[in-house]
Structure formats: structure tokens, C-alpha cells
Amino acid sequence: MTRTMTIALFLLLALATPLSAQEETPETLPMDVPVMVEEALAAGIDHEYTGPWEYFVGGGASAFDCNGDRLPDLAIAGGTSPAALYVNGSDIGGELRFEEKPDALPAAARDKVTGFYALDIDNDGYRDLVTLRVGENAILKGGPDCSFTEANRAFAFDGGRAWSTAFAAMFEPGNTYPTLAFGNYVDRSAPGSPWGTCHDNAFIRPLEEKDTPDYSEPTALSPGYCALSMIFTDWNHSGEPDLRIANDRQYYREGQEQLWRIQTGRPPRPYRRNDGWQRLQIWGMGIAEADLNADGYPEYALTSMGDTMLQTLDDEAEPDRPVYRDIAFDNNATAHRPYTGDDLKPSTGWHAEFQDFNNDGRLDLYIAKGNVQQMQDFASYDPDNLLLGKAGGGFLESGDRAGIALPRRGRGAAIADFNMDGMLDLAVVNREAPVSLFRNTGGSNNGSKTRPMGNWLEIELQQKGINRNAVGATVTVKSGNETRTRKVQVGGGHASGSSGFIHVGTGVAERAQIRIQWPDGEWSAPFRVFANNFVVIRRDATQAQYWYPPVD
Amino acid sequence: MNGKPVFPIPPTQRCLTAAALSLAVVLSAAAASAADSVPWAEKAIQKHVDFTELEGTLSAERLKALIAEGEHLFTARFTSQDGLGRPEATQAIIPTKRRRPSDVAFRRTAGMDGNNCQSCHNVPVVGGAADFTANAFISEGFESTEFDSLDPQFSNERGSVSLFGAGLVDLLGREMTKELRAERDKAVAAARRSGAPQTVALSTKGVDFGSLTVQPDGRVDFSDLDGIDSDLTIRPFSQKGVFASLRQFVVNAGNIHLGLQASERYGKRWTGTADFDGDDHADELSPGDVSAVVAFQASLPAPGRLVPDDPAWKTAAAHGEEGFGNLGCTACHKPFLPLDSLNFVDPAPYDTAGTLRTGEVEKPAVYDLGLLEWAKTLPRNDRGQILVPLFGDLKRHRIADAEVSHLGNELLAQRFVERDVFITAELWGAGSTAPYGHRNDLTTLDEIIRAHGGAARASRDAYVDCAEEDRSALIAFLKTLVIPQ
């Protein structure tokens, strides 16, 4: 009987082991892993984000076209090193190439920069650069050929003296110019600093009836809890975005994550416990937003030390009650410690962004990782994450296989298609280490050689008059039964705000119907396009256009 | 475990514990699959075609073997043991799960509607067209995936197209796509250089496709294109001309009609599972299987011309061919399109993700159609180009109007193409493939000609106004366009 009993036991054990929700990464991943080749130096970018304590945080980059050729250029913060603007001269479909334009940024806006956000504030068709600094923030008005002039005075904008680390903007209904929100960190001059001395944040609506932007009347968003990321977000599908703020618990007292209710013509007010807003205390470093389950309501990834949060609306939520629950564990997205190497201490997460890196039609999650400085209780080798979205939901880690698991302290990042080949590339700003510039060269599946991945679309929106780049628009891309959604937003991430073509992977779908909900709520007619194209959609046009990059 | 073999269990130790029972079940299943390799096994695919052997230009011998493997698959009667059926997947060409598993395996309307290829491609011989009895009901498979009605609200009813000469059609399409895209790219570069918008008329192999307007910054306005998709890919397959290559079509049709899912689109790489249709069979069609079926279809000879023995017929046919030109039929039914090369590269160059692409294989296979006997007899012009006698133009046209509306019967558009727009039907082989029309519901050539509305209206009216004997002569000519048997 012994042998039979052994067999019985073996079978019972084999059948009885439950599948754990937090799965181990399998030997081979079913989907394409993007092969990311690091080539910053060869591409002409030799740049570091440096500095003492004030520059433990921040370190942002913005990818946006400033010379009108539609190739995304790069503005990169430097901290105590000079910030720089790099003009994109990459080979189309080939190697990345950038050239620094030395005097692009005005001198006063080159030092002590923590981050950049690109948006067209004055509706002149050139993206402007909001420059976050330890000290006076600067609005740089963009002009032709990547020229920038300081516009604080012209826009009646008082850049203040705070240590600024976050930014978000939106065009409120009826306004000609955008509303700006600045997130500030520790008030170094307050007694007892840095403990419990977070600065107030600033909320600035443009004055009405003016020919140029007038930001002379800011409102303080008080209390501030050391913001490191902010985003205007339509969390309740109401058409009226509110302002979400990620705060760093390291220095606040009695603080928490915040959601401020923004109503036209009224001062912002925070959602409180009796509105259903639960107190969440994390080392909030970055916010990423996407509608992962296609229910019309966004999910949020919140980076922190230790677990990344992945928040979705709870069943108890209502249109005016933002109740969230965390689904990071169920989706294998906690990214709580290094996924490779010997360091088992908790991670420190910074920039986060949902994008489709392997063009399989499912959103992936990129997280920049790196120790604050030399915190003993946290991982020192802390590689960036590339969590690839799975069929049916959830994520699988691929950072090591993708080639982005460098021993650098990642902070902000810019994700854009730099060489216009339909595949998203990645620029990472690292603290006291070179900027990493990864070119996406294609996919490896089951150990195959690098080869073409899924189909894709890159979409550019144009409006005339106000809000030329349609900030606040929703882009829906329908292929078969699947609708993929993107929002055009200025904000989020870690000190990094890019603006340009909106990338959507479509997997094996060869065509799509694109519909735009413009910022004022109006829906466009459907535009029928074939995949693997750059699509330009102008408001009120009956047909989309394709754009073709220059070929030598 | 003690290391001794577990199977077979000696009778003295047999005992009815649950463990032993389950073990026995596992073992009997193993025994059953061992039995599949017997000669009387009820499956068509005994062994998948080895894709790794298909590299570079295939020798005549290797090509012949591959074609034979393809013919076997094309004529095989697949069974559930091959993975026939798609209980959890719809007919859609993007992998799409059904809401509920299907209650029946076969469904005449929404599919699966067959167990082999030849049951719909057999007139006059295997690889040909079909009778009305074999019509398929085409729906995109996104909404209304399960329909029992033949009502055109739910599907487009279609007759099968003959595959003879399909390899040449595929090749023509590729060369034309290449040329059109080159014209576009040239205009884009010129607009950039000059700083001024450019309008370029698109034309290839004597067929016009409308025009593009290009802005100096690289934006292209495609609203003046005619008869082609906005990405300038010629898609010559299916009645409406919406599929680019034989390979794409095989992958589509395998799923729609047979529920046999090709791993290159329905496999783990794209769907996360090797058994997307939920019938307990993984990777039902391998890339090699698809290549074999593509090679078989590409090898089907171009239809030719019957030289009638009857002198009256011969004279009438000659007169009718002249009339074919005079009536303007040749504007769309072009007697020849020139082809530069007979090298059929598989995978094809213009497919998108979801069909195997040239860039995804180390060394694409090349089927040199020139190695085939029938290809050697194709006429050539003085530039050495092969003159493909297809009587078509690989372009889409509107074929119905308010008065002549028989061919405007469909209610559903297909893949961005309006309901009354179809690709010019190649007339080679028309004499062998009655009945006619996309619904296969017109039994005579005379009737299908009279049904030409829309863009063909003028020629059709001229035909109708002809004398009886001239019309008869035209039919005499068309009846000489036959599929070799």
C-alpha cells in the first residue's frame, strides 16, 4: 500500500496548492518584451541631475517638439548642474541623436531646476515650458526654432521662492488661458524645518478679459503636505476635473494624499473624510493615470517607498464620494522591492506612467526607481520597473529582460517616440548619474531575436484659438470590440510633463475608429484610420490626415 | 517516490483509492493520445508542417513538396481532434471571445460553417469557386456574433471566389502597393523641399487610384483617393477587396469557417493563451501549415483561354473580344497587368501584426512561381514583364446605383468599404465559375453584365443597347476564359 499512498499524497499536494495572487514572474513571458537599448552618450546626451538635499527629489524631463518638425525634443532638469534643451535629430527608425542648443533656455532658468512641464499657455502654437525650481519658478514662453524667453513679467506670474516639485494645468471652461497649480515641498525657512513644515501649494486662475495671460492672483492650497506630484483628473467622469496631489509623508505631520474639488468660479476645497475620501499616508512621489478596466473611470498608480498603490473606485464610491481601494497586489503591480539583484529591501518609486511599450494593445506601467540618497533601510540597487500588461488584466515584470535595470537612481522620465518608428522610447533622469536614453528596438518573444511588435497609432490633436493642443481631451481608439482610451493631460509623473503625439498600441488590429471628446465635451465624428500611421486630427475636419516623417 | 516505473500498475496492488483512480485516468488519457498516431486516427493534421525548413528560395523539389502538403491541408476534412471549432471565440479576425460558449459547433450562418476548404472552393475543380449552395455569411464578428437569420442586416452573403491565379494576384498587389507608396513618399519629400503643397495623381501599372495632397510639413490629405485604402495598401482578396495577402486570408478563413486558429495571430504571444477558442487544442495551425496552404494556393495555375474547335464560336469570340474593348469593359477588366517578378516571398511585405511578417523571420521563404510549368507559358512583354491575363484592375468601384441596384443588395459595410463598393472581379476563369455576382445568384454572364450599375453603368447600358448578335458574341468571348482542368 505504501507506494499507492505516496502517489495519493503527491497528487493531493499537487492539486491542493492554491495559486497565489501575487505571482512569480514566469521563466518566459508570453508577450513581446521590448528590447530597450541605452544610447544616451552616443546620442549626444551627457547630462546629470545633481545637488545636495534639495535635489534628492525632483529631476524631471519634458519631451515635446519645439522646432516644428514634430520630432520630440528634450528639456532636462539639472539641479545644481545646468538644465539643458536638446534638439532631436534622430535617424527616422534608426539611432537616436540629440544636440544641445546651448542658449535655448534663459540663464536665470537654467540653474536649480527640478523639473519641466510643456504646454502652450498663450495659445500661439508654440509650447511653453513651466520650469520648476528651488526658488523662483519660471514660465518660459516658447518661440520658433526652440527659442524660449522668460515670461514671468509678461504673464504677471510671481514665481515665488518656494522649493517647487510638482505641477499641473488645465483649461477651465470659458477661460482663454490655463489654470496652473504648483506643488511645493518643504518650507526651508519655517522654524523646525524640515519636520512638519511643508509649504502651501499654489492654485492660479488667469484673470478674465485679458489679452495676455495674467496670473497675478494666486490662491494658496492650504494645508500643503509636501507635494511631489499633482494632476487635474476627471475621477468621476463628470466632465469637471479635480486636482489630485501625491504627498511625501517623510516630512509632514498629520498629512495625507489629497483631492481638491475644482469648480469654475469657486475656490478649491479639499475632499474630506465625510466625503468618503480616506486618509492615505504614503511617500507619494508620482501619479500615473489610466482607465485600466475600460469602465470610464481612471485608475491611479501612486509610487512610494515600498508598495506602489494601484487605486480603483470602490463599490461604495459615488459621483461626489471618491472612495478608492487598492488593487496593486491583485494585479501584481506592487513593485515593492527590486525584482532582480540581491537587495531585498523596499524600493523607492518616483516617476510612473502608463504607456504601451510593446504595442500589444495593453497598457504597461513604467516606474522610475532609486534610493533617495543613501537611506539604509531601502534598496540601494533599485532598478526601474517595466510592468507589461497581460491579456485579461494584471502585469508581469520585464525590466531586466527589457534592459532598463540599470544601477542608477531614477527620478523623472519622458516617454516618447523619439525616432518616429511607432515604438515608445524612454529617457530617464537619474540623480547624480547620467541620463539614460533607451531606444525601443522591437520585441523579443520567448527568446527570439528582436523583431517587429504590434500595430500602433500616434495621434496629434489640433484646435484653433484657445487650447491649441486640446489639453483635457479624451481620445478613444476602437478596434473591434476593444476601445482604448487616452487623456490629454498636463501634470502627474515626477517633475516631468511631456506633450506631443498620443501613442496607442493596437495589437493585431489593422484598423481603428478614432473618436475625440474635445475639452469642451463635444464628441467628434469617428475617423477611420489604418494602423501604423501618425494621424493628425483637426477639430471640425471631416477626415483625419496622415503625417509622414522626413526620410533621408 | 521510490524510482520504479509507475505504469503499468501490477494487478496485486490495485486499490480503489481516489488517488489511484485519478492516476488511472491520467494514464488512460496518455494511452489514448499515443493511439492518435495510428494510420486510422481521426485527425487530418498528423504532423504540423515544419516552418524552420522554409527559408530562402525553395528548390523545385522542396516547393513541390510544400505545395503537396498545402494541398493535403486544403482538401483534408478536419475534425474535432485537429481543433476544428471555436466554442469560445467569435469569427472576428481580431481575437474576440464570445459572451457565452456556443451551444452548437457548426452554424450555417455565423460559423463555423465547414470542415474543409475545398467544400467551398471546388468549381470546376479543387481550388476553384463554388455554387450558391456553398455561400458563406460574412459578419465582422464584433456585435451580432451569433445570428440565425439570413437577413442581410446581420451578414453579407457571399459566394466563393476562385483561387486560380491567386498567387499572381497577390504578387501584383505587392508591386502596386510598393509603387503607390513610392509615389506618395516622393511627393512628401518634394513638398518638404519646396515648402509648397503638392498634389500627386496616383497610378500604377496603368490603373489610377485618385490623388493625394501633401503639405510641406508632411501631412497628407487622402480624401481624393479612389478605390484603395488610405494606407495605400492594395488589398485584392475577398469580393470587396479588403484583404492584403493570401496569408492574411488563410489565417482569417481558418478561424471564421473552420475554427482552426493560427498561432501567429491567436496564439500566446498576442492573446496570452495557446487555446484562445477554448476547445482544448493549442496552436491549431502552425506557421508552417499556413505557409503550405499559401504555397498551394499561389501555385494554382492562371486561368487561360479556350480555343474553341467550333469555327462559329471562334469567330464569335473574336468579335466579342473586340466588343469587350469597344464597350469600355476593359477600363476596369484590364486584359493584362504587367508583373515584374514571380518570386513569391512568404511572409508578404505589407501585412501588419496578426499575420506573420517578413521582419519576423530570419530568412523569408521564396516560392519561385517561375518553377511551375504553367507560369512558364505566361506571355511577356518586350520589357520582360509577365503579362498576367486577369481581366481586372485590383481596384474597388461602386457597382450599383438607384436604377441598376441588384449588386447593391448588401446592408453592411465591410472594413471601411461601403456596401455598394466591390473590387473588380477578375474575369479570368469566368467561363468555368458560374453562377456570378458576389452573392452567386446570377446564373448567366448576360445577367451579371446587366447588373453592372454605378461606375460601370455606361458600359452596361451600351451592352444592353447592342444588337443581340453582338451581345451573344461577347458571351462567346467570355466563355473562352476558363480554368484548366
Side-chain angles (χ1 to χ4, degrees), chain B residues 3-72:
Chain B
K4 285 197 199 145
V6 177
F7 176 70
I9 302 174
T12 51
Q13 290 204 331
R14 225 172 268 148
C15 119
L16 290 174
T17 61
L21 257 179
S22 50
L23 186 59
V25 166
V26 164
L27 290 169
S28 66
S33 62
D36 285 346
S37 55
V38 296
W40 57 89
E42 290 195 282
K43 53 193 322 210
I45 305 176
Q46 300 282 6
K47 197 171 82 100
H48 290 291
V49 175
D50 186 358
F51 188 71
T52 57
E53 291 183 10
L54 303 174
E55 284 192 337
T57 307
L58 271 53
S59 66
E61 205 180 290
R62 184 71 196 91
L63 181 58
K64 199 165 157 210
L66 185 65
I67 290 168
E69 286 173 306
E71 181 166 9
H72 164 72

Side-chain angles (χ1 to χ4, degrees), chain A residues 32 362 453 510 546-547, chain B residues 217 220 230 269-270 357 415:
Chain A
D32 285 347
R362 296 175 196 107
M453 302 187 292
E510 197 178 18
Y546 291 150
W547 174 77
Chain B
D217 66 349
V220 170
S230 58
R269 179 183 178 198
W270 300 112
R357 291 163 289 177
R415 289 174 63 83

